[in-house]
Amino acid sequence: MDKVYIFDTTLRDGEQVPGCQLNTVEKIEVAIALENLGVDVLEAGFPISSPGDFNSVVEISKNVSNPTICALTRAVDKDIECAAEALKFAKKGRIHTGIGSSDIHIINKLRTTRENILEKAAWAAKYARNFVDDVEFFCEDAGRADLAFLAKMVETVIANGATVVNIPDTTGYCTPDQYGAKIAYLMNNVPNIDKAIISVHCHNDLGLATANSIAGLSNGARQVEVTMNGIGERAGNTSLEEVAMIIKSHKESLNLYTDINVKNIYPTSRLITRLMRMPVQPNKAIVGRNAFAHSSGIHQDGVLKNRENYEIIDPKDVGVPESLILLTARSGRAALKHRLDLLGYHLDSEKLDNVYQEFLKVADAKKEINDQDLLEIMGINADSRMFHVVSHTVSCGNQHQSVAKIELSRDGKTYQSESEGNGPVDATLKAVDKIMGIPVKLEEYLVQAVTGGSNDVGKVHIQISKDGVFYYGFGADTDVIYASAMAYVDALNKSI
Ligand code: KIV
Ligand code: ZN
């Protein structure tokens, strides 16, 4: 089996996304998580682009020892010198330099000729080798480049010292067949190809980044460039978790492996979501909230009989604590029984049948049935256990400390508290904690405007964990802070 080198560019291509910028301390935290995840190469930044990026490459080099630390440059002397300087503390450093390879880039962007590009490429690879032994060369927009010219460029940079050659589909243009054929052509037509590793770097403009990367690997590439959660310019880059799990799930047929510690996938994904403030779409493969959630009756019944009926990955293998069985109008008796068993109510089939008929009526009116609803359906006074938000006020602004006051009720009694916080949401959640006092970790906080206007209803989604188990809460209101209080109390109620 051949090893596929995982080149992570979350902190370079991923971090270019507007709103995802991290400070140096946050970048070090991400870099350490990526090291623990087992990436082979960590692209830490583009040092010439800003003093902050330069400093991040320096600090990551000091704090991370296993992966090779890589710095991006244009094929320009001062870029290469700056990258070399930024990498001086790296135990293993790589300069990643390159230039456009498609006629579109050569003519419209660089306003030059193919001959001049070959000269510059040769010069840049050679110049970078003066500073480090490990030089990766990127042929930008290779996805749209003329094949024979691309082959010449690859041959030239290898002859001038490139140890890795990156064939980026910069605009996400190719289909898997085309991209795979491109890599196969290079493997068969570049005479010195055995002197370098071919790397695939695919963008997701047509939703094909992962498929194209796998096609490239199947045709001889041995490094893949990825980001966690697939973040990156426009529609994003190839996602690390998808590639790692495809290679693991199909290792025999692909005859490939990676050194990724797949158990760390989910915690790393959560860390990056939190620090980059970039929510993962719920149906995202492997790390989306619904990736292991089952809501239709047939699937729930199948999963409860044997997980493998509807899951090709055990969620625990990628660090997701458990599969979720969501109770909706499409759930069957098996899912209802499972949830009631977990709540400690073991019903015989006749009683279950009665509860199921009631359940369907409520489920038709509500989207999702939570434990509180279930207890009410069973005629059990759920209010004796659950808290409700009675009233909430918050004072906040950029000139003074946020303070929240909240009143909750449970079983006819009311409870009040007040708390300061680092912003109105933090103050509100702390005020709730003072009353409910349940030790939980806030895993995710998400606000979404339903239609986008400023007078819109905001939907708040909160995920908490307690003793390794995840609980979700929802709240919706035009006042998003009040909705946050409702979502948090909802999640805490489920954890009781
Ligand atoms: O997409 C791309 O071409 C890149 C290069 C700078 C490697 O990100
Ligand atoms: Zn890119």
Side-chain angles (χ1 to χ4, degrees):
M1 270 197 198
D2 278 357
K3 168 163 167 154
V4 171
Y5 291 88
I6 300 290
F7 176 114
D8 182 276
T9 184
T10 305
L11 292 174
R12 200 278 299 169
D13 225 347
E15 214 245 355
Q16 282 174 211
V17 176
C20 282
Q21 277 68 36
L22 302 178
N23 61 36
T24 303
V25 175
E26 292 168 329
K27 283 188 188 173
I28 293 170
E29 193 177 348
V30 169
I32 292 171
L34 291 170
E35 176 174 41
N36 292 334
L37 184 62
V39 306
D40 299 286
V41 186
L42 201 162
E43 190 162 48
F46 182 10
I48 194 85
S49 67
S50 73
D53 238 39
F54 179 91
N55 195 34
S56 299
V57 176
V58 172
E59 292 306 321
I60 290 172
S61 300
K62 287 183 191 162
N63 283 280
V64 164
S65 9
N66 291 332
T68 296
I69 306 300
C70 180
L72 186 78
T73 82
R74 293 166 298 179
V76 171
D77 51 2
K78 62 179 186 343
D79 283 35
I80 295 173
E81 290 154 18
C82 181
E85 177 67 16
L87 287 170
K88 70 173 181 243
F89 294 104
K91 307 203 177 39
K92 292 174 274 174
R94 175 184 294 181
I95 291 178
H96 186 192
T97 190
I99 199 161
S101 65
S102 66
D103 284 342
I104 301 178
H105 275 216
I106 296 172
I107 297 164
N108 297 340
K109 185 179 110 165
L110 302 162
R111 314 233 151 137
T112 186
T113 59
R114 287 186 180 183
E115 292 67 36
N116 184 255
I117 288 292
L118 286 184
E119 267 174 40
K120 277 200 161 146
W123 171 84
K126 203 178 204 148
Y127 192 58
R129 277 299 295 262
N130 290 326
F131 302 96
V132 284
D133 290 338
D134 189 359
V135 170
E136 174 167 340
F137 190 93
F138 67 84
C139 307
E140 196 182 10
D141 202 22
R144 292 186 296 174
D146 173 75
L147 257 186
F149 176 69
L150 184 63
K152 188 80 211 143
M153 194 166 173
V154 173
E155 182 184 346
T156 305
V157 296
I158 296 174
N160 282 279
T163 46
V164 181
V165 187
N166 179 7
I167 310 298
D169 185 17
T170 305
T171 55
Y173 170 73
C174 292
T175 63
D177 282 352
Q178 292 165 348
Y179 191 71
K182 193 161 274 225
I183 300 297
Y185 180 90
L186 297 175
M187 299 305 296
N188 294 327
N189 291 280
V190 174
N192 53 0
I193 198 82
D194 58 319
K195 306 272 183 313
I197 292 176
I198 292 297
S199 183
V200 290
H201 176 119
C202 298
H203 280 266
N204 204 30
D205 299 67
L206 292 173
L208 291 171
T210 299
N212 286 348
S213 297
I214 298 295
L217 295 172
S218 299
N219 282 285
R222 286 295 172 263
Q223 178 179 280
V224 58
E225 309 201 357
V226 289
T227 60
M228 201 67 219
N229 300 342
I231 60 164
E233 290 265 45
R234 309 181 307 278
N237 286 58
T238 303
S239 105
L240 184 154
E241 61 276 13
E242 290 172 13
V243 168
M245 291 314 292
I246 290 169
I247 294 178
K248 187 168 168 15
S249 307
H250 292 278
K251 59 176 179 292
E252 268 84 33
S253 57
L254 290 170
N255 212 22
L256 298 172
Y257 72 94
T258 73
D259 281 339
I260 292 295
N261 306 318
V262 295
K263 267 214 155 34
N264 284 6
I265 284 180
Y266 189 63
T268 312
S269 161
R270 304 300 313 146
L271 175 77
I272 282 158
T273 302
R274 180 166 61 79
L275 292 179
M276 292 197 162
R277 299 163 206 93
M278 181 78 165
V280 169
Q281 72 198 59
N283 58 328
K284 167 81 183 63
I286 325 287
V287 294
R289 189 193 328 141
N290 293 345
F292 299 100
H294 306 274
S295 63
S296 90
I298 296 173
H299 288 207
Q300 291 178 335
D301 180 50
V303 163
L304 290 170
K305 283 179 176 140
N306 184 332
R307 193 191 56 71
E308 287 182 13
N309 282 328
Y310 286 99
E311 280 179 356
I312 56 162
I313 295 169
D314 185 338
K316 292 193 179 65
D317 283 353
V318 290
V320 174
E322 55 182 355
S323 310
L324 276 180
I325 302 286
L326 302 175
L327 291 180
T328 69
R330 276 165 286 124
S331 299
R333 286 171 184 73
L336 178 64
K337 179 170 172 10
H338 169 75
R339 193 70 220 158
L340 287 171
D341 281 345
L342 288 178
L343 287 172
Y345 299 97
H346 310 287
L347 308 187
D348 62 30
S349 63
E350 194 186 331
K351 180 87 173 94
L352 181 70
D353 217 43
N354 293 338
V355 173
Y356 184 62
Q357 298 314 320
E358 269 313 297
F359 162 81
L360 285 181
K361 282 186 211 152
V362 182
D364 265 338
K366 284 192 85 185
K367 278 196 174 144
E368 200 191 320
I369 297 292
N370 61 31
D371 290 350
Q372 182 177 357
D373 300 322
L374 267 191
L375 294 176
E376 275 162 19
I377 292 167
M378 298 258 299
I380 293 160
N381 181 7
D383 259 1
S384 62
R385 299 183 339 138
M386 307 295 177
F387 283 88
H388 300 278
V389 183
V390 178
S391 71
H392 168 252
T393 55
V394 66
S395 107
C396 60
N398 65 346
Q399 299 296 326
H400 63 98
Q401 175 92 48
S402 298
V403 180
K405 289 183 188 169
I406 198 147
E407 185 174 324
L408 303 184
S409 72
R410 181 176 65 173
D411 203 16
K413 274 200 212 129
T414 57
Y415 305 81
Q416 281 144 0
S417 78
E418 181 175 325
S419 178
E420 293 185 340
N422 178 20
V425 175
D426 187 48
T428 300
L429 270 48
K430 283 186 172 139
V432 170
D433 282 339
K434 281 190 178 171
I435 298 174
M436 294 184 70
I438 303 172
V440 295
K441 184 164 168 244
L442 183 66
E443 299 283 349
E444 183 177 83
Y445 171 82
L446 206 71
V447 191
Q448 277 172 316
V450 178
T451 59
S454 61
N455 61 349
D456 196 3
V457 168
K459 281 206 310 189
V460 176
H461 164 94
I462 277 183
Q463 186 187 357
I464 56 170
S465 66
K466 187 177 137 202
D467 304 328
V469 181
F470 285 78
Y471 301 93
Y472 299 90
F474 297 95
D477 200 85
T478 46
D479 174 348
V480 292
I481 313 297
Y482 175 55
S484 307
M486 290 197 290
Y488 190 49
V489 170
D490 183 30
L492 288 171
N493 276 335
K494 290 173 185 165
S495 77
I496 295 175

